Amino acid sequence: SYIFQSAWTGVNERTFVAVKPDGVQRKLVGEIVRRFEKKGFKLVGLKLVQASEDILREHYWDLRTKPFYNRLISYMSSGPVVVMVWQGLEVVKTARKMLGETNPAESLPGTIRGDYCVEVGKNVIHGSDSVESAQREISLWFGPNELHRWRSSSSQWIY
Ligand code: IDP
Ligand code: MG
């Protein structure tokens, strides 16, 4: 699976995006999907899940020593999340720009966090911070049969 995933570069680069429980409650799923679709990225996986504590602890493993870690895990398990995989050229870096900064107060208007939230503890969306994190997060949240290969009819107008 590592060799398979290491082929996801260039126009096949993938990132993991999650609408957090506050984003789902606040009906931001459609708006967020709309932004990624209109940008020109290709949706290759999407599902609504109530995340287990196990998957969240693994997802946020690198933050386990932070003072807000336990609050973060309970926030992320406070309701269903919409997890998705988007594909396209430089999608990891571009998705992070579309999200804005971790702290919504530092996020510019026009970004998702800049437009739709106020507090770092309720910042509505997650996006992978590197290609390596994306590969790890995609294989944590999705099975191989949940990622779809399909030909987008608009790809020739995007690339
Ligand atoms: P990121 O989501 O922008 O990559 P990370 O530093 O990876 O930011 O932190 C993961 C998540 O943990 C953030 O999106 C936010 O929900 C939460 N978080 C980060 N820093 C704080 C904090 O100082 N207080 C409370 N929650 C935080
Ligand atoms: Mg992060």
Side-chain angles (χ1 to χ4, degrees):
S1 112
Y2 173 75
I3 290 164
F4 177 71
Q5 288 181 345
S6 68
W8 302 129
T9 58
V11 298
N12 295 321
E13 184 174 305
R14 291 176 168 189
T15 197
F16 174 79
V17 171
V19 184
K20 295 179 177 183
D22 51 330
V24 174
Q25 289 285 357
R26 295 186 48 213
K27 318 289 192 286
L28 294 172
V29 173
E31 171 63 22
I32 288 164
V33 170
R34 190 188 68 86
R35 288 185 180 211
F36 281 86
E37 278 188 322
K38 292 194 121 179
K39 172 69 179 169
F41 292 132
K42 184 202 263 189
L43 182 64
V44 295
L46 182 146
K47 61 184 173 176
L48 179 73
V49 276
Q50 174 64 55
S52 67
E53 214 174 288
D54 282 356
I55 200 169
L56 291 170
R57 290 192 182 280
E58 197 165 335
H59 177 82
Y60 282 127
W61 174 249
D62 58 329
L63 300 176
R64 66 197 177 283
T65 61
K66 299 283 186 191
F68 57 82
Y69 178 71
N70 282 326
R71 241 180 314 134
L72 174 60
I73 301 302
S74 69
Y75 157 51
M76 290 296 292
S77 47
S78 64
V81 294
V82 171
V83 290
M84 39 202 170
V85 177
W86 290 93
Q87 182 172 310
L89 190 64
E90 309 254 43
V91 67
V92 173
K93 192 173 73 186
T94 307
R96 292 283 290 193
K97 285 191 186 160
M98 290 165 68
L99 264 58
E101 301 301 315
T102 302
N103 184 351
E106 280 149 29
S107 301
L108 291 173
T111 65
I112 294 165
R113 286 166 174 166
D115 287 348
Y116 299 120
C117 54
V118 173
E119 272 203 357
V120 69
K122 293 229 164 55
N123 62 356
V124 307
I125 187 164
H126 167 84
S128 307
D129 63 8
S130 67
V131 171
E132 292 69 33
S133 303
Q135 290 178 352
R136 185 180 72 84
E137 291 168 3
I138 290 166
S139 58
L140 176 65
W141 289 87
F142 285 88
N145 296 338
E146 294 175 319
L147 300 173
H148 302 284
R149 299 175 63 93
W150 59 286
R151 175 153 172 76
S152 164
S153 62
S154 57
S155 69
Q156 60 183 315
W157 303 105
I158 294 165
Y159 298 105

